[in-house]
């Protein structure tokens, strides 16, 4: 039986493209499935765009997983939501006939953090990832094999929500796991900047 898009368990937008690449767009806290579509189109004009909405609500604001305090994550929920998002990507790949070897994540803030969790728990799902203002979501204990995965990280030196050391810790861990990591620093805070978008 072919699944209908109602069977896919995340509210999402899908915009068909003309290249084999699919850009998985993951919004920040308080965003939704529409937020990153223009950025995705700008960064990879021909890619398919797949943009789910995080299923957790924090004071009415969508997120991809629960947190206990700023930067302190509910690990059980993070793990469950990461697996659920990986399932969604697999099901969406079947449903929309996407090339599973060409899935690229572009996440901002909370969306970048769940993308980092996807890299750690599902190391074969993403071919490339751009993680904008991400932190190490947890210490995986042992390294996944991320050989062949390209990761671009960007961070703001003055970001009040994502400590620079945490972004650096994520870059170091992904590198030790074999990913090809580039880390670009901006002088500012949590907002995305034009210079940062130009690095994508
Ligand atoms: C998170 O909770 O993922 C980070 O603190 C980023 C944020 O959403 O503020």
């Amino acid at each position: 039986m072919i699944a209908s898009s109602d069977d896919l368990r995340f509210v999402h937008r899908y915009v068909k493209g003309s290249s084999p690449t699919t850009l998985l767009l993951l919004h920040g806290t308080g965003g939704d499935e529409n937020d990153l579509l223009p950025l995705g189109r700008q960064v990879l004009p021909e890619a398919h765009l797949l943009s789910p909405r995080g299923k957790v609500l924090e004071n009415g604001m969508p997120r991809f997983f629960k947190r206990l305090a700023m930067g302190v994550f509910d690990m059980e929920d993070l793990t469950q939501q990461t697996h659920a998002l990986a399932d969604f990507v697999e099901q969406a790949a079947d449903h929309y006939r996407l090339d599973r070897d060409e899935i690229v994540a572009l996440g901002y803030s909370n969306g970048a953090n769940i993308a980092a969790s996807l890299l750690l728990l599902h190391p074969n799902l993403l071919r490339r990832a751009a993680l904008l203002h991400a932190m190490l979501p947890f210490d995986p204990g042992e390294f996944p094999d991320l050989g062949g995965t390209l990761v671009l990280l960007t961070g703001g030196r003055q970001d009040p929500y994502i400590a620079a050391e945490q972004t650096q810790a994520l870059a170091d861990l992904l590198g030790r796991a074999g990913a090809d990591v580039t880390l670009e620093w901006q002088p500012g805070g949590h907002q995305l900047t034009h210079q940062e978008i130009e690095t994508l």
Side-chain angles (χ1 to χ4, degrees), residues 124 132 136 199:
N124 297 318
L132 316 181
L136 183 61
T199 64

Side-chain angles (χ1 to χ4, degrees), residues 89-150:
V89 172
E90 299 277 0
Q91 286 167 6
D94 279 349
H95 179 70
Y96 295 118
R97 299 177 189 280
L98 307 174
D99 183 341
R100 283 165 191 240
D101 294 329
E102 291 292 339
I103 296 176
V104 176
L106 171 59
Y108 168 60
S109 187
N110 181 246
N113 287 339
I114 198 154
S117 185
L118 276 178
L119 286 169
L120 297 177
L121 295 179
H122 292 269
N124 297 318
L125 191 76
L126 303 174
R127 181 171 169 67
R128 285 187 278 152
L131 311 181
L132 316 181
H133 299 258
M135 58 189 277
L136 183 61
F138 59 90
D139 183 343
E142 57 192 57
F143 295 132
D145 179 2
L146 289 170
T149 308
L150 288 179

Side-chain angles (χ1 to χ4, degrees), residues 28-30 58 63 65-67 69-73 108-114 133 135 161-162 190:
T29 300
E58 181 184 274
R63 286 175 52 84
F65 55 88
K66 291 182 192 159
R67 64 181 160 186
M70 186 64 79
V72 182
F73 301 151
Y108 168 60
S109 187
N110 181 246
N113 287 339
I114 198 154
H133 299 258
M135 58 189 277
Y161 304 121
I162 306 281
H190 198 59

Side-chain angles (χ1 to χ4, degrees), residues 36-80:
L36 295 180
L37 292 173
L39 179 61
R41 201 27 96 232
Q42 182 183 335
V43 171
L44 285 180
E46 295 179 351
H48 307 285
L49 304 178
L50 180 64
S51 187
R53 185 196 305 171
K55 291 203 263 198
V56 167
L57 286 179
E58 181 184 274
N59 301 322
M61 296 186 295
R63 286 175 52 84
F64 283 95
F65 55 88
K66 291 182 192 159
R67 64 181 160 186
L68 307 174
M70 186 64 79
V72 182
F73 301 151
D74 176 331
M75 275 309 303
E76 195 180 328
D77 190 62
L78 172 55
T79 306
Q80 275 174 13

